[in-house]
Amino acid sequence: SLLHDDLVSIKNLTDNASKNNVLLAKKVLTKIDFDKYTNMILGGQVIAGNLPDILGENGIKTYLVLFQNNTELRPTGGFIGSYGLLTLDSGRMTDLTVNDVYSADGQLNGHVEPPAPIKDYLGEANWWLRDSNWDPDFPTSAQRAEWFLNKEIGKSVDGVVSIDLSPIRDLL
């Protein structure tokens, strides 16, 4: 993309100026992480390329939204107190239902053995959706949340998104 190419060009010019002992260029390199911004642009391009599908251009998409309380920390951000099911169709939100996580957890049939830290630190004998985000690797925790949602309420989703209280507070 043009923005990516321009940023790479600026980085190269700054690097060359720094090698020629231009003090301002050296100062810029200590303040700006060009690689970080280049990677952000590349990530944005991937998202933008997939955005029509994510927004349901080619069919209805339903996402699990995990509302995490970041004042009660967990590996992916916070305790899952509520969850939502967000439905998108042709770029429009057609449904959003928000539920207390305990209503779903109460519908789990059977016992799911929790990881040892959940037993040891939280004193829980069972594993539930509310603690499915125990792995710091978000894709792993998201897969577990999808699994719990399916086992608890029989619902499959197209993806998982999480949000903590800070952006919600800022929005309100």
Side-chain angles (χ1 to χ4, degrees):
S1 80
L2 188 57
L3 181 59
H4 175 266
D5 294 346
D6 286 347
L7 186 60
V8 169
S9 179
I10 291 168
K11 179 187 185 300
N12 290 337
L13 290 170
T14 307
D15 283 341
N16 289 337
S18 176
K19 289 175 186 170
N20 290 323
N21 291 319
V22 175
L23 294 177
L24 182 59
K26 288 182 178 194
K27 184 72 171 173
V28 165
L29 289 174
T30 66
K31 298 289 182 183
I32 299 174
D33 184 348
F34 285 101
D35 292 332
K36 172 185 167 186
Y37 293 112
T38 301
N39 288 334
M40 286 174 65
I41 291 168
L42 293 174
Q45 289 174 328
V46 170
I47 291 171
N50 291 309
L51 202 54
D53 185 50
I54 291 169
L55 296 175
E57 179 181 77
N58 301 317
I60 296 171
K61 298 285 186 176
T62 301
Y63 298 98
L64 172 60
V65 181
L66 302 173
F67 296 101
Q68 299 185 129
N69 180 350
N70 53 306
T71 63
E72 191 175 337
L73 288 178
R74 294 292 190 276
T76 67
F79 174 74
I80 301 168
S82 302
Y83 71 95
L85 293 172
L86 171 68
T87 303
L88 301 169
D89 186 6
S90 300
R92 292 192 176 133
M93 182 173 67
T94 58
D95 190 32
L96 173 61
T97 57
V98 178
N99 296 290
D100 186 294
V101 74
Y102 289 97
S103 66
D105 286 348
Q107 297 179 54
L108 181 64
N109 291 320
H111 168 79
V112 179
E113 187 68 20
I118 291 178
K119 281 198 229 180
D120 297 343
Y121 299 114
L122 300 181
E124 293 286 343
N126 296 302
W127 200 5
W128 314 91
L129 174 60
R130 65 182 177 250
D131 291 317
S132 62
N133 61 341
W134 196 256
D135 195 299
D137 178 61
F138 185 79
T140 300
S141 286
Q143 286 177 338
R144 288 191 180 126
E146 286 184 52
W147 184 88
F148 275 105
L149 186 76
N150 183 270
K151 297 302 178 203
E152 292 180 356
I153 66 168
K155 183 75 175 167
S156 295
V157 294
D158 296 295
V160 179
V161 177
S162 70
I163 187 166
D164 66 31
L165 294 177
S166 298
I168 295 172
R169 183 193 64 230
D170 294 345
L171 180 66
L172 296 174

